Amino acid sequence: MSLVSGRDRSKEAFERLYERVAERLLAFIVRRLGDPDAAAELWAECWAVAFERWHGCRASASGEEEAWVFGIARKRLAGYYRSGAIERRALVRLGWSLPELDRADLDALERLAELDGLKRVIADALAELPTNRQRALRLRIIDGLSYREVAARMGCTEQAARATSRAACALWQR
Amino acid sequence: MNRDEPLRDHDRLIEAMRQQIRATPMPPARRAALLRPASAVGRVRYLGWLVAGAVALVAAMVALALALSLVGGATPPPAYAATLNPDRTVTITLREMADIPKLNAKLAALGTRIRVVPVLPGCVALVHVVSNGKVVPAPAQTLHASRTTGSIVSMTIEVKTLPGRTLVIADTRKGLYALGVVVVGRSASSIAIIAAAGEARKHATTSGALALGSGRSSRAQARRAISTTKVRSSSLPDRTCYIPRRYRRRARGGARRSQTGTINRRALGRGRLDR
């Protein structure tokens, strides 16, 4: 396959793109969602959107085409983070569906994304934080509580809870 | 993907999607996509048209805004303002010398005894220094207006220190100063505002009024008489000097009287005096 595919917007070109990117995109989404089931659905929706918009793709090289698909995935992910729901509009429009995923499929997706190793790294990084910051981070990020609720659980003011959570995030990111 | 490898569990998902892609006809191109040219040259032209369209749109909006402002649709900033503050001070803003009569009418309506008079560069007037609200028993100082270009300022003045006297805020030969100066007299209080371009900023950094050059009034004392809180400069293309009637009575010197008359004629000729 040539590095430069030009602006071939045929179905064959899309299939080639799919062969190149499908697995990587799946791992990309699973790692960011941490939920293989939801990730599979979002991945499928991404491909449905890409399929519908393939004629509008302005990428001129194969790398750009891949970036274009990942861009679609990022937008879907952002929408998921914002709304907590996975859109299925494109899947519905195209009449596509996903196979039922059993336990083995989900385990395979976790292995693909190396989620075990990722979780270990995250747990280690969390363990390095001071206790109160760990707790604030768990309550705020993992449990998804509001600052008011975090403050009530930690027995401090809302402002202190906010500051602790933010400090923990900053420290953790480092 | 190497198809010779054994099918992994997650491949079932990928294979299912692959089959659906193969089985589905490619949707027709959308109109927006059809409009976009495929070649690099065409894309540049396309972008050029987009930019030209954007420029035309902006130009149309600017023209519309101008037209609206010409017919009075836009609200220009007020040329003058006088506000009586709760702490017995008055904030005066003046942008155009021609609005001095209106500003004085506003000041009168507010019940203050302050009046604004324009001062022409080169005018000389006798003024007295105020200290702690009282006239300092010292020889009168001379008000010099020597700037040729300048700005008008907005300032806050304590009203209670001006019973029946004239407060003068002026610049000196050394530069712009807001002066705690009272001119002894029976006429209504008046303020001469003189500001030099580039010095309004310096003025703004001083929280209170400065003393007259004689040094008899400290800055702190002068601050009690005049409180300058904000200064906003604006263009002042021309200034006129007006020396109140009592000055003229005091100014017995030939040169000074002559100067006063000249100044008055010029000022009156422009219709910029309030009396």
Side-chain angles (χ1 to χ4, degrees), chain A residues 7 11 15 18-19 23 44 51 54-55 58 96-98 100 105 108, chain B residues 8-10 12-14 17-18 20-22 24 26-27 38 43:
Chain A
R7 282 179 55 88
K11 193 173 168 189
E15 286 178 11
Y18 178 82
E19 298 301 333
E23 193 172 308
F51 190 73
W54 178 236
H55 281 297
R58 306 188 68 192
W96 290 1
S97 61
L98 277 175
E100 287 293 322
D105 293 324
Chain B
R8 291 166 292 183
D9 287 339
H10 66 265
R12 201 163 70 84
L13 186 64
I14 292 174
M17 184 59 68
R18 183 183 294 120
Q20 290 182 113
I21 290 172
R22 283 182 183 159
T24 309
M26 188 60 85
R43 195 180 302 169

PDB file of all heavy atoms in Angstrom, chain A residues 7 11 15 18-19 23 44 51 54-55 58 96-98 100 105 108, chain B residues 8-10 12-14 17-18 20-22 24 26-27 38 43:
ATOM      1  N   ARG A   7      -6.904  11.281  -2.760  1.00  0.00           N
ATOM      2  CA  ARG A   7      -8.236  11.526  -2.195  1.00  0.00           C
ATOM      3  C   ARG A   7      -9.210  10.512  -2.771  1.00  0.00           C
ATOM      4  O   ARG A   7     -10.233  10.858  -3.337  1.00  0.00           O
ATOM      5  CB  ARG A   7      -8.654  12.954  -2.483  1.00  0.00           C
ATOM      6  CG  ARG A   7      -7.996  13.945  -1.553  1.00  0.00           C
ATOM      7  CD  ARG A   7      -8.412  15.349  -1.891  1.00  0.00           C
ATOM      8  NE  ARG A   7      -9.854  15.521  -1.896  1.00  0.00           N
ATOM      9  CZ  ARG A   7     -10.567  15.830  -0.819  1.00  0.00           C
ATOM     10  NH1 ARG A   7      -9.960  15.970   0.338  1.00  0.00           N
ATOM     11  NH2 ARG A   7     -11.870  15.984  -0.897  1.00  0.00           N
ATOM     12  N   LYS A  11     -15.347   3.107  -1.716  1.00  0.00           N
ATOM     13  CA  LYS A  11     -15.641   2.213  -0.606  1.00  0.00           C
ATOM     14  C   LYS A  11     -14.444   1.323  -0.296  1.00  0.00           C
ATOM     15  O   LYS A  11     -14.160   0.998   0.867  1.00  0.00           O
ATOM     16  CB  LYS A  11     -16.850   1.350  -0.974  1.00  0.00           C
ATOM     17  CG  LYS A  11     -17.423   0.612   0.189  1.00  0.00           C
ATOM     18  CD  LYS A  11     -18.693  -0.074  -0.229  1.00  0.00           C
ATOM     19  CE  LYS A  11     -19.116  -1.063   0.848  1.00  0.00           C
ATOM     20  NZ  LYS A  11     -20.210  -1.899   0.391  1.00  0.00           N
ATOM     21  N   GLU A  15     -12.513   0.681   3.192  1.00  0.00           N
ATOM     22  CA  GLU A  15     -12.248  -0.652   3.755  1.00  0.00           C
ATOM     23  C   GLU A  15     -10.771  -0.816   4.092  1.00  0.00           C
ATOM     24  O   GLU A  15     -10.411  -1.420   5.107  1.00  0.00           O
ATOM     25  CB  GLU A  15     -12.697  -1.724   2.764  1.00  0.00           C
ATOM     26  CG  GLU A  15     -14.213  -1.850   2.704  1.00  0.00           C
ATOM     27  CD  GLU A  15     -14.668  -2.880   1.680  1.00  0.00           C
ATOM     28  OE1 GLU A  15     -13.813  -3.631   1.167  1.00  0.00           O
ATOM     29  OE2 GLU A  15     -15.862  -2.911   1.385  1.00  0.00           O
ATOM     30  N   TYR A  18     -10.217   0.956   7.220  1.00  0.00           N
ATOM     31  CA  TYR A  18     -10.749   0.163   8.330  1.00  0.00           C
ATOM     32  C   TYR A  18      -9.750  -0.927   8.734  1.00  0.00           C
ATOM     33  O   TYR A  18      -9.484  -1.129   9.923  1.00  0.00           O
ATOM     34  CB  TYR A  18     -12.091  -0.450   7.910  1.00  0.00           C
ATOM     35  CG  TYR A  18     -12.694  -1.327   8.973  1.00  0.00           C
ATOM     36  CD1 TYR A  18     -13.410  -0.775  10.028  1.00  0.00           C
ATOM     37  CD2 TYR A  18     -12.544  -2.713   8.924  1.00  0.00           C
ATOM     38  CE1 TYR A  18     -13.961  -1.577  11.006  1.00  0.00           C
ATOM     39  CE2 TYR A  18     -13.091  -3.525   9.899  1.00  0.00           C
ATOM     40  CZ  TYR A  18     -13.800  -2.955  10.937  1.00  0.00           C
ATOM     41  OH  TYR A  18     -14.333  -3.750  11.914  1.00  0.00           O
ATOM     42  N   GLU A  19      -9.187  -1.586   7.760  1.00  0.00           N
ATOM     43  CA  GLU A  19      -8.228  -2.650   8.059  1.00  0.00           C
ATOM     44  C   GLU A  19      -7.009  -2.112   8.801  1.00  0.00           C
ATOM     45  O   GLU A  19      -6.454  -2.770   9.675  1.00  0.00           O
ATOM     46  CB  GLU A  19      -7.763  -3.341   6.765  1.00  0.00           C
ATOM     47  CG  GLU A  19      -8.871  -4.036   5.991  1.00  0.00           C
ATOM     48  CD  GLU A  19      -9.567  -5.118   6.826  1.00  0.00           C
ATOM     49  OE1 GLU A  19      -8.931  -5.684   7.732  1.00  0.00           O
ATOM     50  OE2 GLU A  19     -10.758  -5.371   6.582  1.00  0.00           O
ATOM     51  N   GLU A  23      -8.391  -2.009  14.739  1.00  0.00           N
ATOM     52  CA  GLU A  23      -7.938  -2.578  16.010  1.00  0.00           C
ATOM     53  C   GLU A  23      -7.334  -1.500  16.923  1.00  0.00           C
ATOM     54  O   GLU A  23      -7.610  -1.455  18.124  1.00  0.00           O
ATOM     55  CB  GLU A  23      -6.908  -3.679  15.734  1.00  0.00           C
ATOM     56  CG  GLU A  23      -6.625  -4.527  16.951  1.00  0.00           C
ATOM     57  CD  GLU A  23      -5.747  -5.727  16.582  1.00  0.00           C
ATOM     58  OE1 GLU A  23      -6.095  -6.457  15.637  1.00  0.00           O
ATOM     59  OE2 GLU A  23      -4.699  -5.898  17.239  1.00  0.00           O
ATOM     60  N   ALA A  44     -18.121   1.291  17.327  1.00  0.00           N
ATOM     61  CA  ALA A  44     -18.994   1.000  16.181  1.00  0.00           C
ATOM     62  C   ALA A  44     -19.657   2.279  15.667  1.00  0.00           C
ATOM     63  O   ALA A  44     -19.762   2.504  14.451  1.00  0.00           O
ATOM     64  CB  ALA A  44     -20.051  -0.018  16.593  1.00  0.00           C
ATOM     65  N   PHE A  51     -18.127   6.239   8.067  1.00  0.00           N
ATOM     66  CA  PHE A  51     -18.659   5.699   6.805  1.00  0.00           C
ATOM     67  C   PHE A  51     -19.573   6.721   6.131  1.00  0.00           C
ATOM     68  O   PHE A  51     -19.502   6.942   4.919  1.00  0.00           O
ATOM     69  CB  PHE A  51     -19.422   4.400   7.116  1.00  0.00           C
ATOM     70  CG  PHE A  51     -19.821   3.625   5.901  1.00  0.00           C
ATOM     71  CD1 PHE A  51     -18.876   2.914   5.158  1.00  0.00           C
ATOM     72  CD2 PHE A  51     -21.142   3.589   5.480  1.00  0.00           C
ATOM     73  CE1 PHE A  51     -19.244   2.198   4.032  1.00  0.00           C
ATOM     74  CE2 PHE A  51     -21.516   2.874   4.357  1.00  0.00           C
ATOM     75  CZ  PHE A  51     -20.567   2.183   3.621  1.00  0.00           C
ATOM     76  N   TRP A  54     -17.414   9.772   4.808  1.00  0.00           N
ATOM     77  CA  TRP A  54     -16.186   9.445   4.078  1.00  0.00           C
ATOM     78  C   TRP A  54     -15.985  10.361   2.874  1.00  0.00           C
ATOM     79  O   TRP A  54     -14.875  10.803   2.581  1.00  0.00           O
ATOM     80  CB  TRP A  54     -16.255   7.973   3.656  1.00  0.00           C
ATOM     81  CG  TRP A  54     -15.084   7.488   2.859  1.00  0.00           C
ATOM     82  CD1 TRP A  54     -15.137   6.907   1.627  1.00  0.00           C
ATOM     83  CD2 TRP A  54     -13.710   7.514   3.247  1.00  0.00           C
ATOM     84  NE1 TRP A  54     -13.878   6.567   1.210  1.00  0.00           N
ATOM     85  CE2 TRP A  54     -12.989   6.937   2.188  1.00  0.00           C
ATOM     86  CE3 TRP A  54     -13.024   7.968   4.347  1.00  0.00           C
ATOM     87  CZ2 TRP A  54     -11.606   6.794   2.222  1.00  0.00           C
ATOM     88  CZ3 TRP A  54     -11.643   7.830   4.388  1.00  0.00           C
ATOM     89  CH2 TRP A  54     -10.948   7.260   3.335  1.00  0.00           C
ATOM     90  N   HIS A  55     -17.063  10.718   2.199  1.00  0.00           N
ATOM     91  CA  HIS A  55     -16.922  11.602   1.035  1.00  0.00           C
ATOM     92  C   HIS A  55     -16.443  12.990   1.445  1.00  0.00           C
ATOM     93  O   HIS A  55     -15.825  13.686   0.647  1.00  0.00           O
ATOM     94  CB  HIS A  55     -18.259  11.717   0.302  1.00  0.00           C
ATOM     95  CG  HIS A  55     -18.539  10.548  -0.570  1.00  0.00           C
ATOM     96  ND1 HIS A  55     -17.754  10.223  -1.644  1.00  0.00           N
ATOM     97  CD2 HIS A  55     -19.510   9.605  -0.519  1.00  0.00           C
ATOM     98  CE1 HIS A  55     -18.229   9.149  -2.235  1.00  0.00           C
ATOM     99  NE2 HIS A  55     -19.291   8.740  -1.558  1.00  0.00           N
ATOM    100  N   ARG A  58     -11.283  15.236   4.068  1.00  0.00           N
ATOM    101  CA  ARG A  58     -10.383  16.039   3.237  1.00  0.00           C
ATOM    102  C   ARG A  58      -8.930  15.613   3.384  1.00  0.00           C
ATOM    103  O   ARG A  58      -8.037  16.326   2.963  1.00  0.00           O
ATOM    104  CB  ARG A  58     -10.533  17.517   3.597  1.00  0.00           C
ATOM    105  CG  ARG A  58     -11.984  17.949   3.495  1.00  0.00           C
ATOM    106  CD  ARG A  58     -12.119  19.403   3.662  1.00  0.00           C
ATOM    107  NE  ARG A  58     -11.531  20.110   2.539  1.00  0.00           N
ATOM    108  CZ  ARG A  58     -11.300  21.400   2.505  1.00  0.00           C
ATOM    109  NH1 ARG A  58     -11.591  22.127   3.540  1.00  0.00           N
ATOM    110  NH2 ARG A  58     -10.774  21.972   1.451  1.00  0.00           N
ATOM    111  N   TRP A  96     -26.838  -0.703  11.162  1.00  0.00           N
ATOM    112  CA  TRP A  96     -25.773  -1.586  11.638  1.00  0.00           C
ATOM    113  C   TRP A  96     -26.071  -2.017  13.069  1.00  0.00           C
ATOM    114  O   TRP A  96     -26.753  -1.314  13.821  1.00  0.00           O
ATOM    115  CB  TRP A  96     -24.418  -0.876  11.602  1.00  0.00           C
ATOM    116  CG  TRP A  96     -23.902  -0.631  10.217  1.00  0.00           C
ATOM    117  CD1 TRP A  96     -24.538  -0.962   9.048  1.00  0.00           C
ATOM    118  CD2 TRP A  96     -22.686  -0.007   9.862  1.00  0.00           C
ATOM    119  NE1 TRP A  96     -23.788  -0.567   7.976  1.00  0.00           N
ATOM    120  CE2 TRP A  96     -22.632   0.020   8.454  1.00  0.00           C
ATOM    121  CE3 TRP A  96     -21.625   0.529  10.562  1.00  0.00           C
ATOM    122  CZ2 TRP A  96     -21.563   0.559   7.760  1.00  0.00           C
ATOM    123  CZ3 TRP A  96     -20.553   1.066   9.881  1.00  0.00           C
ATOM    124  CH2 TRP A  96     -20.520   1.082   8.482  1.00  0.00           C
ATOM    125  N   SER A  97     -25.480  -3.139  13.425  1.00  0.00           N
ATOM    126  CA  SER A  97     -25.646  -3.621  14.803  1.00  0.00           C
ATOM    127  C   SER A  97     -24.341  -4.258  15.265  1.00  0.00           C
ATOM    128  O   SER A  97     -23.428  -4.510  14.472  1.00  0.00           O
ATOM    129  CB  SER A  97     -26.790  -4.629  14.873  1.00  0.00           C
ATOM    130  OG  SER A  97     -26.478  -5.734  14.048  1.00  0.00           O
ATOM    131  N   LEU A  98     -24.278  -4.495  16.524  1.00  0.00           N
ATOM    132  CA  LEU A  98     -23.077  -5.102  17.100  1.00  0.00           C
ATOM    133  C   LEU A  98     -23.410  -6.527  17.538  1.00  0.00           C
ATOM    134  O   LEU A  98     -24.523  -6.779  17.993  1.00  0.00           O
ATOM    135  CB  LEU A  98     -22.627  -4.319  18.334  1.00  0.00           C
ATOM    136  CG  LEU A  98     -21.798  -3.080  18.095  1.00  0.00           C
ATOM    137  CD1 LEU A  98     -21.554  -2.387  19.422  1.00  0.00           C
ATOM    138  CD2 LEU A  98     -20.461  -3.455  17.483  1.00  0.00           C
ATOM    139  N   GLU A 100     -23.531  -9.626  20.038  1.00  0.00           N
ATOM    140  CA  GLU A 100     -23.567  -9.709  21.504  1.00  0.00           C
ATOM    141  C   GLU A 100     -22.183 -10.100  22.010  1.00  0.00           C
ATOM    142  O   GLU A 100     -21.576 -11.050  21.518  1.00  0.00           O
ATOM    143  CB  GLU A 100     -24.593 -10.764  21.921  1.00  0.00           C
ATOM    144  CG  GLU A 100     -26.030 -10.332  21.740  1.00  0.00           C
ATOM    145  CD  GLU A 100     -26.411  -9.202  22.680  1.00  0.00           C
ATOM    146  OE1 GLU A 100     -25.957  -9.212  23.846  1.00  0.00           O
ATOM    147  OE2 GLU A 100     -27.138  -8.286  22.231  1.00  0.00           O
ATOM    148  N   ASP A 105     -15.274 -12.117  25.008  1.00  0.00           N
ATOM    149  CA  ASP A 105     -15.039 -10.949  24.144  1.00  0.00           C
ATOM    150  C   ASP A 105     -14.578  -9.752  24.974  1.00  0.00           C
ATOM    151  O   ASP A 105     -13.642  -9.036  24.597  1.00  0.00           O
ATOM    152  CB  ASP A 105     -16.325 -10.569  23.409  1.00  0.00           C
ATOM    153  CG  ASP A 105     -16.730 -11.641  22.409  1.00  0.00           C
ATOM    154  OD1 ASP A 105     -15.825 -12.224  21.805  1.00  0.00           O
ATOM    155  OD2 ASP A 105     -17.935 -11.869  22.272  1.00  0.00           O
ATOM    156  N   ALA A 108     -11.138 -10.184  26.105  1.00  0.00           N
ATOM    157  CA  ALA A 108     -10.212  -9.975  24.984  1.00  0.00           C
ATOM    158  C   ALA A 108      -9.993  -8.483  24.740  1.00  0.00           C
ATOM    159  O   ALA A 108      -8.870  -8.044  24.461  1.00  0.00           O
ATOM    160  CB  ALA A 108     -10.769 -10.637  23.733  1.00  0.00           C
TER     161      ALA A 108
ATOM    162  N   ARG B   8      -8.756 -13.958  16.861  1.00  0.00           N
ATOM    163  CA  ARG B   8      -8.787 -13.685  18.294  1.00  0.00           C
ATOM    164  C   ARG B   8     -10.201 -13.292  18.701  1.00  0.00           C
ATOM    165  O   ARG B   8     -11.035 -13.000  17.850  1.00  0.00           O
ATOM    166  CB  ARG B   8      -7.800 -12.556  18.613  1.00  0.00           C
ATOM    167  CG  ARG B   8      -6.354 -12.983  18.443  1.00  0.00           C
ATOM    168  CD  ARG B   8      -5.440 -11.803  18.436  1.00  0.00           C
ATOM    169  NE  ARG B   8      -5.659 -11.008  17.211  1.00  0.00           N
ATOM    170  CZ  ARG B   8      -4.946  -9.938  16.920  1.00  0.00           C
ATOM    171  NH1 ARG B   8      -4.025  -9.524  17.753  1.00  0.00           N
ATOM    172  NH2 ARG B   8      -5.176  -9.268  15.815  1.00  0.00           N
ATOM    173  N   ASP B   9     -10.401 -13.235  20.004  1.00  0.00           N
ATOM    174  CA  ASP B   9     -11.766 -12.984  20.476  1.00  0.00           C
ATOM    175  C   ASP B   9     -12.276 -11.637  20.000  1.00  0.00           C
ATOM    176  O   ASP B   9     -13.414 -11.515  19.573  1.00  0.00           O
ATOM    177  CB  ASP B   9     -11.800 -13.046  22.012  1.00  0.00           C
ATOM    178  CG  ASP B   9     -11.680 -14.485  22.483  1.00  0.00           C
ATOM    179  OD1 ASP B   9     -11.961 -15.380  21.684  1.00  0.00           O
ATOM    180  OD2 ASP B   9     -11.292 -14.704  23.640  1.00  0.00           O
ATOM    181  N   HIS B  10     -11.419 -10.579  20.099  1.00  0.00           N
ATOM    182  CA  HIS B  10     -11.917  -9.262  19.707  1.00  0.00           C
ATOM    183  C   HIS B  10     -12.058  -9.136  18.200  1.00  0.00           C
ATOM    184  O   HIS B  10     -12.684  -8.216  17.705  1.00  0.00           O
ATOM    185  CB  HIS B  10     -11.024  -8.142  20.271  1.00  0.00           C
ATOM    186  CG  HIS B  10      -9.652  -8.123  19.690  1.00  0.00           C
ATOM    187  ND1 HIS B  10      -8.591  -8.741  20.294  1.00  0.00           N
ATOM    188  CD2 HIS B  10      -9.177  -7.554  18.558  1.00  0.00           C
ATOM    189  CE1 HIS B  10      -7.502  -8.549  19.556  1.00  0.00           C
ATOM    190  NE2 HIS B  10      -7.837  -7.840  18.511  1.00  0.00           N
ATOM    191  N   ARG B  12     -13.814 -10.955  16.461  1.00  0.00           N
ATOM    192  CA  ARG B  12     -15.217 -11.212  16.150  1.00  0.00           C
ATOM    193  C   ARG B  12     -15.963  -9.885  15.976  1.00  0.00           C
ATOM    194  O   ARG B  12     -16.768  -9.732  15.062  1.00  0.00           O
ATOM    195  CB  ARG B  12     -15.826 -12.022  17.308  1.00  0.00           C
ATOM    196  CG  ARG B  12     -17.083 -12.773  16.920  1.00  0.00           C
ATOM    197  CD  ARG B  12     -17.368 -13.840  17.942  1.00  0.00           C
ATOM    198  NE  ARG B  12     -17.796 -13.306  19.211  1.00  0.00           N
ATOM    199  CZ  ARG B  12     -19.059 -12.968  19.489  1.00  0.00           C
ATOM    200  NH1 ARG B  12     -19.978 -13.129  18.565  1.00  0.00           N
ATOM    201  NH2 ARG B  12     -19.386 -12.492  20.657  1.00  0.00           N
ATOM    202  N   LEU B  13     -15.618  -8.982  16.845  1.00  0.00           N
ATOM    203  CA  LEU B  13     -16.226  -7.643  16.766  1.00  0.00           C
ATOM    204  C   LEU B  13     -15.789  -6.927  15.486  1.00  0.00           C
ATOM    205  O   LEU B  13     -16.606  -6.370  14.746  1.00  0.00           O
ATOM    206  CB  LEU B  13     -15.798  -6.845  18.000  1.00  0.00           C
ATOM    207  CG  LEU B  13     -16.416  -5.486  18.213  1.00  0.00           C
ATOM    208  CD1 LEU B  13     -17.907  -5.593  18.431  1.00  0.00           C
ATOM    209  CD2 LEU B  13     -15.763  -4.829  19.422  1.00  0.00           C
ATOM    210  N   ILE B  14     -14.493  -7.002  15.217  1.00  0.00           N
ATOM    211  CA  ILE B  14     -13.957  -6.298  14.049  1.00  0.00           C
ATOM    212  C   ILE B  14     -14.494  -6.923  12.763  1.00  0.00           C
ATOM    213  O   ILE B  14     -14.831  -6.231  11.806  1.00  0.00           O
ATOM    214  CB  ILE B  14     -12.413  -6.316  14.098  1.00  0.00           C
ATOM    215  CG1 ILE B  14     -11.945  -5.448  15.272  1.00  0.00           C
ATOM    216  CG2 ILE B  14     -11.815  -5.822  12.794  1.00  0.00           C
ATOM    217  CD1 ILE B  14     -10.471  -5.495  15.525  1.00  0.00           C
ATOM    218  N   MET B  17     -18.107  -5.855  12.076  1.00  0.00           N
ATOM    219  CA  MET B  17     -18.178  -4.503  11.517  1.00  0.00           C
ATOM    220  C   MET B  17     -17.708  -4.509  10.060  1.00  0.00           C
ATOM    221  O   MET B  17     -18.288  -3.823   9.204  1.00  0.00           O
ATOM    222  CB  MET B  17     -17.311  -3.557  12.360  1.00  0.00           C
ATOM    223  CG  MET B  17     -17.386  -2.110  11.940  1.00  0.00           C
ATOM    224  SD  MET B  17     -19.041  -1.400  12.014  1.00  0.00           S
ATOM    225  CE  MET B  17     -19.295  -1.389  13.770  1.00  0.00           C
ATOM    226  N   ARG B  18     -16.685  -5.294   9.776  1.00  0.00           N
ATOM    227  CA  ARG B  18     -16.169  -5.373   8.406  1.00  0.00           C
ATOM    228  C   ARG B  18     -17.266  -5.866   7.461  1.00  0.00           C
ATOM    229  O   ARG B  18     -17.444  -5.330   6.355  1.00  0.00           O
ATOM    230  CB  ARG B  18     -14.965  -6.329   8.381  1.00  0.00           C
ATOM    231  CG  ARG B  18     -14.300  -6.427   7.009  1.00  0.00           C
ATOM    232  CD  ARG B  18     -13.179  -7.436   7.007  1.00  0.00           C
ATOM    233  NE  ARG B  18     -12.063  -7.057   7.844  1.00  0.00           N
ATOM    234  CZ  ARG B  18     -11.596  -7.758   8.885  1.00  0.00           C
ATOM    235  NH1 ARG B  18     -12.179  -8.896   9.232  1.00  0.00           N
ATOM    236  NH2 ARG B  18     -10.569  -7.348   9.576  1.00  0.00           N
ATOM    237  N   GLN B  20     -20.427  -5.628   7.827  1.00  0.00           N
ATOM    238  CA  GLN B  20     -21.481  -4.611   7.657  1.00  0.00           C
ATOM    239  C   GLN B  20     -21.031  -3.513   6.711  1.00  0.00           C
ATOM    240  O   GLN B  20     -21.823  -3.003   5.915  1.00  0.00           O
ATOM    241  CB  GLN B  20     -21.856  -4.030   9.025  1.00  0.00           C
ATOM    242  CG  GLN B  20     -22.603  -5.038   9.878  1.00  0.00           C
ATOM    243  CD  GLN B  20     -23.019  -4.470  11.215  1.00  0.00           C
ATOM    244  OE1 GLN B  20     -24.208  -4.306  11.474  1.00  0.00           O
ATOM    245  NE2 GLN B  20     -22.056  -4.183  12.054  1.00  0.00           N
ATOM    246  N   ILE B  21     -19.751  -3.168   6.790  1.00  0.00           N
ATOM    247  CA  ILE B  21     -19.234  -2.135   5.880  1.00  0.00           C
ATOM    248  C   ILE B  21     -19.314  -2.634   4.437  1.00  0.00           C
ATOM    249  O   ILE B  21     -19.731  -1.900   3.524  1.00  0.00           O
ATOM    250  CB  ILE B  21     -17.785  -1.765   6.267  1.00  0.00           C
ATOM    251  CG1 ILE B  21     -17.770  -0.996   7.585  1.00  0.00           C
ATOM    252  CG2 ILE B  21     -17.118  -0.945   5.170  1.00  0.00           C
ATOM    253  CD1 ILE B  21     -16.392  -0.764   8.148  1.00  0.00           C
ATOM    254  N   ARG B  22     -18.952  -3.885   4.247  1.00  0.00           N
ATOM    255  CA  ARG B  22     -18.968  -4.444   2.888  1.00  0.00           C
ATOM    256  C   ARG B  22     -20.384  -4.534   2.346  1.00  0.00           C
ATOM    257  O   ARG B  22     -20.618  -4.344   1.149  1.00  0.00           O
ATOM    258  CB  ARG B  22     -18.330  -5.836   2.899  1.00  0.00           C
ATOM    259  CG  ARG B  22     -16.823  -5.766   2.971  1.00  0.00           C
ATOM    260  CD  ARG B  22     -16.204  -7.129   2.923  1.00  0.00           C
ATOM    261  NE  ARG B  22     -14.758  -7.046   3.074  1.00  0.00           N
ATOM    262  CZ  ARG B  22     -13.995  -8.033   3.458  1.00  0.00           C
ATOM    263  NH1 ARG B  22     -14.539  -9.217   3.759  1.00  0.00           N
ATOM    264  NH2 ARG B  22     -12.707  -7.880   3.566  1.00  0.00           N
ATOM    265  N   THR B  24     -22.926  -2.636   3.021  1.00  0.00           N
ATOM    266  CA  THR B  24     -23.675  -1.373   2.943  1.00  0.00           C
ATOM    267  C   THR B  24     -23.157  -0.527   1.788  1.00  0.00           C
ATOM    268  O   THR B  24     -21.941  -0.318   1.669  1.00  0.00           O
ATOM    269  CB  THR B  24     -23.507  -0.581   4.261  1.00  0.00           C
ATOM    270  OG1 THR B  24     -23.804  -1.443   5.354  1.00  0.00           O
ATOM    271  CG2 THR B  24     -24.427   0.628   4.295  1.00  0.00           C
ATOM    272  N   MET B  26     -22.130   2.742  -0.155  1.00  0.00           N
ATOM    273  CA  MET B  26     -21.593   4.022   0.352  1.00  0.00           C
ATOM    274  C   MET B  26     -22.648   5.116   0.200  1.00  0.00           C
ATOM    275  O   MET B  26     -23.235   5.263  -0.876  1.00  0.00           O
ATOM    276  CB  MET B  26     -20.338   4.373  -0.453  1.00  0.00           C
ATOM    277  CG  MET B  26     -19.570   5.555   0.080  1.00  0.00           C
ATOM    278  SD  MET B  26     -18.985   5.347   1.761  1.00  0.00           S
ATOM    279  CE  MET B  26     -17.457   4.489   1.513  1.00  0.00           C
ATOM    280  N   PRO B  27     -22.922   5.840   1.245  1.00  0.00           N
ATOM    281  CA  PRO B  27     -23.919   6.917   1.131  1.00  0.00           C
ATOM    282  C   PRO B  27     -23.465   7.987   0.147  1.00  0.00           C
ATOM    283  O   PRO B  27     -22.256   8.195  -0.032  1.00  0.00           O
ATOM    284  CB  PRO B  27     -24.012   7.495   2.540  1.00  0.00           C
ATOM    285  CG  PRO B  27     -23.023   6.808   3.370  1.00  0.00           C
ATOM    286  CD  PRO B  27     -22.331   5.766   2.566  1.00  0.00           C
ATOM    287  N   ALA B  38     -11.334  19.048  -5.128  1.00  0.00           N
ATOM    288  CA  ALA B  38     -10.415  17.992  -4.731  1.00  0.00           C
ATOM    289  C   ALA B  38      -8.957  18.386  -4.930  1.00  0.00           C
ATOM    290  O   ALA B  38      -8.092  17.985  -4.158  1.00  0.00           O
ATOM    291  CB  ALA B  38     -10.714  16.737  -5.548  1.00  0.00           C
ATOM    292  N   ARG B  43      -8.511  23.937  -4.092  1.00  0.00           N
ATOM    293  CA  ARG B  43      -8.711  24.200  -2.663  1.00  0.00           C
ATOM    294  C   ARG B  43      -8.270  25.622  -2.306  1.00  0.00           C
ATOM    295  O   ARG B  43      -8.923  26.316  -1.541  1.00  0.00           O
ATOM    296  CB  ARG B  43      -7.896  23.189  -1.855  1.00  0.00           C
ATOM    297  CG  ARG B  43      -8.307  23.138  -0.408  1.00  0.00           C
ATOM    298  CD  ARG B  43      -7.504  22.151   0.369  1.00  0.00           C
ATOM    299  NE  ARG B  43      -7.600  20.814  -0.187  1.00  0.00           N
ATOM    300  CZ  ARG B  43      -6.838  19.812   0.174  1.00  0.00           C
ATOM    301  NH1 ARG B  43      -5.907  19.988   1.087  1.00  0.00           N
ATOM    302  NH2 ARG B  43      -6.958  18.617  -0.362  1.00  0.00           N
TER     303      ARG B  43
END
